[in-house]
Amino acid sequence: MAQTAAFSNGGRLGALMRAHDWAATPLGGSADWPQPLKTLVEVMLAAGQPMFVAWGPERTLLYNDPYAVLMADRHPAGLGRPFFEVWPDIADVCLPLFARVFSGEPVHMDEIELHIDRPGRPKKAFFSFSYTPVSDERGMVAGVFCACSEITAQKAAERAEERIRARLETALRVARLGTFEWFPATGLVDLDARSREIYDAPEAGEVQATEIFNRVAPEDFGRVVTRCTEIIERASRPNADPRGERIPLDYDFLLLDGSRRAISSSGVVFQGEDGAWRILGAIGDVTEVRRAEAQLRERNVTLEQRVEERTAERNRIWRVSRDMLLVSDLAGVFQTINPAWIRVLGWTEGELIGRTSEWLEHPDDRDRTRAEVRCLAESGAPTLAFENRFRTRAGDYRHLSWTAVPEGHQIYCVARDVTEEKVQEAELAARTAERDRSWRLAQELLVVASPEGTLEAVNSRWTTLLGWTEGELVGSRFISYTHPDDLDATLVAFAGIFEKPLTEPHVYRFHGKDGSYRWFGWTAAFEGGRVYAAGRDVTVEREQAEALRQSQKMEAVGQLTGGLAHDFNNLLAGISGSLEMMQNRMQQGRFQDVERYMMVAQGASKRAAALTHRLLAFSRRQTLDPKPTDVNRLALGMQEMIQRTVGPSIPIEVVGAAGLWPALVDPSQLENALLNLCINARDAMPSGGRITVETANRWLDERASRKLDMPEGQYLSLCVTDTGTGMPPEVIARVFEPFFTTKPIGEGTGLGLSMIYGFAQQSGGQVRIYSEVGQGTTVCIYLPRHYGEVEDDEQLAELDALPRSEQGETVLVVDDEPSVRMLVTDILEDLGYTAIEAGDSAAGLKLLQSNVRIDLLVTDVGLPGGMNGRQMADAARVSRPSLKVLFITGYAENAILGSGHLAPGMAVLTKPFPIETMAARIRSMIEGGKEQARRS
């Protein structure tokens, strides 16, 4: 977006951003910002909730008007500055959270306590927020997006409750919560370990949302489903934007053993990078809390009864908690403990109350523990995950992890026994040592690299196989050692690691210190912000495989050339024989048989052309003429012809999807592909059956794109389904191979499906087969969606109906084959046009750069004279910018013709071509250009 057009939303902040000198910030000029950042800023500025974005390595801060209110006197100076320069007083809390987000993990907190210096406001502030990682155009996490709310006033009101309620809420704050992420589009719910425990779900495997909804208590089911359905429907409406909407729900949940569990959940709606809506949230098991609340509702509402019941509930949680709960004064003197102390340490309440923990602490931990107690009393800040060791009655020590919250003149503490976890950590350290040994002794190249591909650690095998030392490798990039011919494919494979692990080895060459190259098969994964990869030396295997491949290639080439020679000799025999008989009959004056021989020669010519088109489609080198195409209209238009072809015993049904997207495809080639598929379907149903041709819109997400081996995005499908014999897996695996056929000798060439596969690939799509023996087969062609309009058939018909020209238009024909020039010139004279001929590009360009009138250029692509047909046409358009150009070619590299993206006013026609097709194309281009000139 241009600097003057940016930040169209956002009130005062939008105006500030438009006036800001972004070139002086790490982000640079706003016109050069990545598209994800531009989109995110526009959404943020239009929102009514406090939001900010921290972008790039410097975490540059951008925010909206509601967030500026939270910043107080830090606004407007904080705009465009690094986040932690603006907020240095919260760096100790937020830096670890930012690190998690930049590693790809979303972070959501309903409440966090921060100490912020803002004049006129309390230093202790509370916020709820969601941190979401944002990827740039390369798929790398480049920023943090935050939607937040300040809840300091709410917290102040809550702390006015009586001390007993504060204790209960303190216990609940440190209770473990579970998190979930619900994807409504797929019905899947991603649960962490705690959520699976609460929902009584399996420890691993996919979980469907319906599995959870079906176990919601009957009295809560309708309310929960209605609320969730409202959110999903609102998100699916056009222009809907429910981002940031929260979904608090309380309900009972039925466990597998028949018991109930009270659940409290809170979710927030947001939109992922793939455009799909999802809900991220947390759940907690509040069974005991709900039971206490139910008891409160059943009893009298007097203050004394409420206090007694809350105390009873507190005491119940206090008694049954497996964690060690403690209330002390600010000096650390024990006032109250729960029974868990006896279970964990063996000490009784009488032995602990009225004393500090100094006599229990491990001597090595005593100074740290005393300092932490003093810090709690002086700062008022909570302690999270402070670890030390306490002595048991038996004389050994247990490792404890403490959470402590100072409140008034007391400290509320929860200690969890982590001794077993420490043992596991020690075991993990031992296993790590074993892995280190494996690292040193591995026969593969092992490497740890940064997301940019910089080598950070390598094993000694690099020196053995390639001669490079660790000091020479660390700090360099892997592409420095990659063979130039393998670089592009390797960079694509490396980028894919950030989406999914590379489990199938990617083979490419690394050069050694002596300059030689060796082949390695690499597997890799991206975890914890680093790339971990292993490369196995496959040089010997590769050389052996290459020798075998060359042998097989020569065998296949021999088979191909032999088959082509056989087929073309048959066709040439029909053509040459018919011509000789025509000559003999004409010399004898017997003209009645000439037309019969002419039809035989023309039929053989058309079959030869069809064979070359199949070969070019199979090799993906045919010349396509892609046009915006209504595939529904194409399929319905062919229904009658297909029905006549397959016969009356097999009914054809065409099911066109409503609102089908258009495709940019060669319609004649798509018609050939559809007809071939229907003929194959007919052959698979010798006893009769049904053929269904069906279209559909397809939106491929990450999972579907991996399955179909296609990029994510919008596609349409054209599928042919039969009720025939079907195919076993081993046949499906080979159906796209050239010359492979299951038909008897003489009934199939084995090129049909290969041609369809090549055509779909060349059109930017894919072909997939789904079949079951005895049940039938479905073949689907997937084509990319075209964002544009489809030409009106009536307009094309008007061009075809134009009369013979009488206005003296001139056409330049450039072709090095005299017979082609003669044929095209005759067609032009029949249409009433003046023809000028040239035999090479030099002569053609000389005419094009003269003052001679030329209304249309008809040229071959492959020309002698120093330039090809496309280069000659482009050079001519410098002085004749509106020149119409028709390329005629029997074979052309896509790069020459622009890979199907010809400039306006250019078209292509494949040799050999029917006379009427050539005449119609010439007439439509000339008359269409005149019509366009009249309209303009």
Side-chain angles (χ1 to χ4, degrees), residues 56 177 203 261 318 499 502 634 642 659 719 798 834:
L177 297 178
E203 294 181 357
R261 177 173 288 163
W318 189 265
E499 301 296 330
L502 181 63
L634 182 147
I642 296 172
C719 300
E798 291 176 2
T834 301

Side-chain angles (χ1 to χ4, degrees), residues 518-549:
R518 299 189 68 83
W519 291 90
F520 294 91
W522 287 91
T523 54
F526 180 69
E527 296 180 4
R530 289 293 177 271
V531 176
Y532 299 88
R536 186 171 65 89
D537 186 2
V538 294
T539 304
V540 175
E541 300 172 19
R542 184 82 180 191
E543 291 172 349
Q544 293 173 345
E546 180 65 18
L548 177 61
R549 190 183 70 82

Side-chain angles (χ1 to χ4, degrees), residues 692-719:
T692 302
V693 179
E694 187 172 5
T695 63
N697 292 329
R698 308 282 186 181
W699 191 307
L700 301 187
D701 57 14
E702 180 183 1
R703 179 179 300 179
S705 69
R706 287 200 305 267
K707 183 177 180 181
L708 293 174
D709 191 22
M710 299 168 65
E712 297 180 43
Q714 293 179 333
Y715 296 81
L716 59 148
S717 63
L718 175 63
C719 300

Side-chain angles (χ1 to χ4, degrees), residues 781-855:
I781 301 174
Y782 296 89
L783 298 169
R785 175 185 180 180
H786 172 66
Y787 295 89
E789 300 297 327
V790 177
E791 291 180 340
D792 189 350
D793 287 344
E794 294 182 1
Q795 295 178 359
L796 298 177
E798 291 176 2
L799 290 176
D800 290 341
L802 290 173
R804 172 184 171 87
S805 175
E806 301 294 343
Q807 300 182 23
E809 290 91 343
T810 303
V811 179
L812 172 61
V813 181
V814 184
D815 199 303
D816 59 334
E817 175 56 49
S819 61
V820 175
R821 295 202 305 272
M822 177 196 73
L823 177 63
V824 177
T825 299
D826 290 347
I827 294 172
L828 291 169
E829 290 176 353
D830 287 346
L831 293 174
Y833 301 128
T834 301
I836 304 175
E837 298 183 35
D840 57 39
S841 58
L845 185 60
K846 184 176 181 180
L847 288 168
L848 288 165
Q849 291 177 339
S850 69
N851 294 326
V852 175
R853 174 180 178 177
I854 298 176
D855 298 277

Side-chain angles (χ1 to χ4, degrees), residues 496-518:
I497 296 171
F498 300 98
E499 301 296 330
K500 61 180 180 180
L502 181 63
T503 55
E504 291 296 326
H506 172 68
V507 179
Y508 65 99
R509 289 163 286 183
F510 259 32
H511 76 78
K513 197 169 184 177
D514 61 359
S516 63
Y517 282 90
R518 299 189 68 83

Side-chain angles (χ1 to χ4, degrees), residues 139-151:
M140 306 287 291
V141 176
V144 174
F145 172 68
C146 175
C148 62
S149 298
E150 182 170 1
I151 57 173

